[in-house]
Amino acid sequence: MRTHVVDHPLVAHKLTTLRDARTDSPTFRRLADELVTLLAYEATRDVRVEEVGIRTPVTETTGVQLSRPRPLVVPIIRAGLGMLEGMVRLLPTAEVGFLGMIRDEETLQASTYANRMPDDLSGRQVYVLDPMLATGGTLVAAIRELIERGADDVTALCLLAAPEGVEVMERELAGTPVTVVTASVDERLNEQGFIVPGLGDAGDRMYGTAG
């Protein structure tokens, strides 16, 4: 597994505002959307393309277009939905699947409660969206599901990561073609499984605490 921390002043600037407890939900959603697009530039650096011939107003030339099968973007419900628009803005022709996962707050184990993805992901590059790589359990479970369906190239986009979560993924997904792209690997997890300094519960900060 490869972990890539995007080192860019705009990324750091937007992340600082996301961390601020005074940032309201509308602003949080907008900044998260913008930050995802910045992360997506790095995450798609190795997206598969093929040559295509075109004619410009001046002459014929050769360019590239996304290869088939198209990339698949998979937000993990619910907080991952807040990252979707920023990702598909960069990859408008990508297909979108959905994966609903819930974490038991006592055991910290993740389980799937909703799944809307193709049965066969052979040859597909898959981009998983989950704001927080905390304990790692949710992303490990999600990526295993993708690998079982035949995905051979998985990239996880996370706003933040904890070193404990990165370690879990490296151990549990050893030998699998996985890359994590994040704005920061923070200090640690606290006793409740939250990233420190972190930004709190990303889902609650995006959408409020209803439900």
Side-chain angles (χ1 to χ4, degrees):
M1 193 192 85
R2 185 171 69 96
T3 302
H4 177 50
V5 179
V6 179
D7 182 15
H8 191 284
L10 287 179
V11 169
H13 167 73
K14 294 180 189 300
L15 180 57
T16 298
T17 308
L18 287 174
R19 291 187 190 276
D20 193 330
R22 298 170 296 179
T23 300
D24 59 21
S25 288
T27 305
F28 191 97
R29 287 194 298 270
R30 176 177 59 80
L31 288 173
D33 175 83
E34 294 172 358
L35 181 53
V36 169
T37 299
L38 293 174
L39 296 179
Y41 276 107
E42 292 297 326
T44 56
R45 185 174 295 277
D46 296 322
V47 68
R48 295 168 187 162
V49 296
E50 58 191 24
E51 288 191 351
V52 59
I54 61 169
R55 183 172 185 83
T56 77
V58 178
T59 186
E60 293 184 352
T61 188
T62 301
V64 297
Q65 65 182 11
L66 294 182
S67 301
R68 293 185 179 276
R70 298 297 190 193
L72 181 69
V73 177
V74 181
I76 297 180
I77 302 171
R78 87 180 151 144
L81 291 174
M83 303 173 67
L84 179 58
E85 186 63 29
M87 187 70 188
V88 298
R89 182 182 297 113
L90 199 67
L91 285 176
T93 60
E95 295 182 1
V96 178
F98 295 93
L99 195 57
M101 308 201 75
I102 190 168
R103 187 179 73 165
D104 186 300
E105 295 304 324
E106 293 185 1
T107 67
L108 302 182
Q109 297 299 307
S111 59
T112 303
Y113 68 86
N115 190 325
R116 185 69 174 176
M117 293 189 299
D119 291 331
D120 185 5
L121 297 177
S122 300
R124 302 287 290 267
Q125 286 182 294
V126 183
Y127 297 90
V128 184
L129 310 180
D130 192 13
M132 313 298 281
L133 170 50
T135 64
T138 298
L139 268 177
V140 166
I143 291 171
R144 280 177 173 163
E145 177 77 25
L146 298 169
I147 298 296
E148 287 173 3
R149 291 174 182 242
D152 65 355
D153 188 332
V154 179
T155 299
L157 278 76
C158 305
L159 302 181
L160 289 181
E164 294 92 335
V166 172
E167 182 180 342
V168 166
M169 288 189 66
E170 289 175 342
R171 181 177 68 247
E172 298 295 327
L173 299 172
T176 59
V178 176
T179 300
V180 173
V181 177
T182 184
S184 174
V185 176
D186 276 11
E187 296 174 10
R188 59 183 174 86
L189 291 179
N190 65 15
E191 294 77 8
Q192 290 75 42
F194 282 93
I195 299 174
V196 178
L199 49 75
D201 185 300
D204 286 351
R205 296 201 62 193
M206 284 181 185
Y207 304 117
T209 57

